[in-house]
Amino acid sequence: MLTRYAVIGRIRTVTGKWTSYSGFVRGFVRAALNAVRPADVVPSPNIWHWPDVYEVENRAQDVHGAIWSSLSEECPFGGKDVVDVGCGDGFHLPLFAQEAKSVTGVEPHPPLVVRAKHRVASLPNARVISGPAQGLPLDDASADLVHARTAYFFGPGCEPGLREADRVLRPGGALAIVDLDGSADPYGPWLRADEPRYDPAVVEKFFADNGFSLRRVTAEWRFEKREDLEAVLRIEFSAQVAERAIASVSGLSFPVGYRLHVRRKPEGLIL
């Protein structure tokens, strides 16, 4: 499901070859460490190339609202100013807008910015602006919650984005990062099969060392049609892993593990 800035999935390069999560990691780390320019944003293979299939994926994810329930418990956002970093085409913005005082989606890919603006056009408390996580086009201390769901914040290399989130948060505000749990069946093994060097323990240690809490969440992905399930898995994984995943799912749904990492900005001086 990874999306927006870079994803676990695959992308056709200029040479016509597919690259998967390993290629993403190398590119993401270079971009995160070296620059804040939009040109340094790593393309998201799934939503950038198949936004309509990704829309199907978004509708299928978390059908029971497990992620939203956990996020609301950890970081209540009713009446608050929310920023959704790497908002893609804005799928989650209307959900935030139902309770938040305001919600701002930040997205670096121009076609997705257009789609997101269209999605929230009728919502008076929602807007979408263009920009990368490493250089948020927002004022200091302007948000109560910075949220990123499977976008940019994938572990070592995302430090520039962490600093930017801290800059725009008010004292007492929270940075909430929702990412796939690479240790949870069945999605985790599929993910690791595409990139054996991806170590969930290393990622979890990175967030723990940077002061984040960890809450594991299991969501159910449920599709209306078998063709939709297969199409989504084929934009998320390399061909071999996708076919293996498809063969292992007999119906229209399967569980997917997530990690919710939360870090609060101190309200006063820490001695």
Side-chain angles (χ1 to χ4, degrees), residues 49-108:
H49 294 269
W50 294 281
D52 292 333
V53 178
Y54 202 85
E55 179 76 10
V56 172
E57 180 174 340
N58 267 326
R59 292 199 304 267
Q61 292 173 20
D62 196 20
V63 292
H64 299 299
I67 298 173
W68 284 105
S69 294
S70 298
L71 180 64
S72 296
E73 291 172 8
E74 297 286 339
C75 308
F77 52 85
K80 303 293 183 64
D81 294 312
V82 176
V83 175
D84 188 14
V85 177
C87 71
D89 63 0
F91 184 84
H92 297 113
L93 300 182
L95 297 173
F96 279 118
Q98 290 176 9
E99 299 182 36
K101 176 183 177 183
S102 72
V103 57
T104 299
V106 182
E107 168 59 42

Side-chain angles (χ1 to χ4, degrees), residues 9-12 18 44-57 89 112 115 231 234-236:
R10 52 188 185 140
I11 184 169
R12 191 180 296 279
W18 290 104
S44 170
N46 46 22
I47 195 171
W48 282 32
H49 294 269
W50 294 281
D52 292 333
V53 178
Y54 202 85
E55 179 76 10
V56 172
E57 180 174 340
D89 63 0
L112 294 181
R115 290 173 67 107
R234 287 185 176 119
I235 71 168
E236 288 296 345

Side-chain angles (χ1 to χ4, degrees), residues 52-240:
D52 292 333
V53 178
Y54 202 85
E55 179 76 10
V56 172
E57 180 174 340
N58 267 326
R59 292 199 304 267
Q61 292 173 20
D62 196 20
V63 292
H64 299 299
I67 298 173
W68 284 105
S69 294
S70 298
L71 180 64
S72 296
E73 291 172 8
E74 297 286 339
C75 308
F77 52 85
K80 303 293 183 64
D81 294 312
V82 176
V83 175
D84 188 14
V85 177
C87 71
D89 63 0
F91 184 84
H92 297 113
L93 300 182
L95 297 173
F96 279 118
Q98 290 176 9
E99 299 182 36
K101 176 183 177 183
S102 72
V103 57
T104 299
V106 182
E107 168 59 42
H109 189 45
L112 294 181
V113 172
V114 172
R115 290 173 67 107
K117 286 183 175 181
H118 178 74
R119 193 188 294 271
V120 303
S122 64
L123 302 178
N125 62 335
R127 64 170 179 155
V128 178
I129 56 178
S130 179
Q134 311 99 307
L136 296 174
L138 299 167
D139 293 336
D140 294 356
S142 58
D144 302 297
L145 172 64
V146 174
H147 165 271
R149 187 169 305 198
T150 61
Y152 180 85
F153 297 96
F154 301 121
C158 72
E159 291 87 348
L162 296 180
R163 290 192 292 270
E164 275 294 272
D166 282 343
R167 179 183 66 79
V168 304
L169 281 172
R170 299 181 178 115
L175 170 58
I177 296 170
V178 180
D179 196 9
L180 291 161
D181 186 347
S183 64
D185 292 334
Y187 204 99
W190 300 338
L191 186 159
R192 299 195 309 273
D194 251 353
E195 179 42 59
R197 290 170 292 181
Y198 173 69
D199 188 344
V202 171
V203 175
E204 292 179 16
K205 184 177 186 301
F206 170 83
F207 285 112
D209 289 347
N210 280 276
F212 286 84
S213 63
L214 168 61
R215 178 168 176 170
R216 298 188 192 277
V217 182
T218 300
E220 181 182 354
W221 287 22
R222 182 188 297 166
F223 297 84
E224 295 181 359
K225 300 181 296 184
R226 181 71 184 183
E227 307 92 273
D228 291 342
L229 181 151
E230 295 181 3
V232 164
L233 290 176
R234 287 185 176 119
I235 71 168
E236 288 296 345
F237 299 105
S238 62
Q240 183 178 7

